[in-house]
Each structure stands twice: as structure tokens, then as C-alpha cells.
Amino acid sequence: QVQLVESGGGLVQAGGSLRLSCAASGSIFRINDMGWYRQAPGKQRDLVATITNGGSTNYGDSVKGRFTISRDNAKHTVYLQMTNLKPEDTAIYYCNAEVLRLMTTSNYWGQGTQVTVSS
């Protein structure tokens, strides 16, 4: 079994910064892509950013230039540095990882961490 545990969410004023972390644990042979998604009340879950095992990144249009995704493969951890936060960034942020174990690749999700940006 694999678990993803997020941390770092909270309440911040517009223009502020937050750093999210997500650590994967369990029986892991290799983690391929890792990423962050977010879901605001009444809306669908949207892509924030993804990063491959080799470090290639992809960002949603609304966060380009403000958010930076990174990872530490040795620690099975992915980070999201968020700067110049806006009220519309308010959402539950979910970590995602594509994990190879027992010769099978599966997708796992964290429980989510709340980010609230006040105006």
C-alpha cells in the first residue's frame, strides 16, 4: 500500500506565499509523475502542476510564473512553492503520484490540504 501525506496549507493574505509538501510512503519501487491538483467549492478538480521523475514540469495557465513545482526523488516528496497568491487560488490542494510497485503502475491521491487566500 502507498500513502501520500500533504502538509503546508493554511490561511494567507493576497500577495503572500505558501509552500506545500507531499511525502509518499509504503512499498514503492519507483515514482513516475507527481503533481498537484486543486478543487474549489462547486468546481471540478483542475491541474496545478506536474513533474516527471526526470524533472520536466508542466503548469496550469493560471499559475504559470507564480508557482514552482519540485521534487526530491530520494525522499519520495514533491513540493509546490506558491507566490503572489490570489483569492482565486483558494481551494483544496491534492497531491497525486504515479507509483510503480509489484510490476504495476497505479495512481494515488493524498487527502488534500486547504489553502485559503484572503483579499
Side-chain angles (χ1 to χ4, degrees), residues 5-19:
V5 179
E6 299 119 332
S7 60
L11 173 64
V12 64
Q13 288 188 332
S17 300
L18 280 175
R19 188 188 193 216

Side-chain angles (χ1 to χ4, degrees), residues 37-48 88 90-94 109:
Y37 295 76
R38 67 187 183 186
Q39 188 167 19
K43 295 189 177 181
Q44 66 181 18
R45 189 174 297 188
D46 290 330
L47 166 73
V48 176
E88 51 264 42
T90 295
I92 299 175
Y93 284 68
Y94 296 93
W109 291 92

Side-chain angles (χ1 to χ4, degrees), residues 18-67:
L18 280 175
R19 188 188 193 216
L20 304 182
S21 299
C22 171
S25 62
S27 177
I28 298 170
F29 177 75
R30 171 191 167 97
I31 301 180
N32 296 329
D33 291 358
M34 300 186 81
W36 291 93
Y37 295 76
R38 67 187 183 186
Q39 188 167 19
K43 295 189 177 181
Q44 66 181 18
R45 189 174 297 188
D46 290 330
L47 166 73
V48 176
T50 61
I51 184 168
T52 68
N53 183 275
S56 297
T57 59
N58 180 50
Y59 293 93
D61 288 341
S62 62
V63 306
K64 286 180 181 177
R66 300 188 297 122
F67 291 9

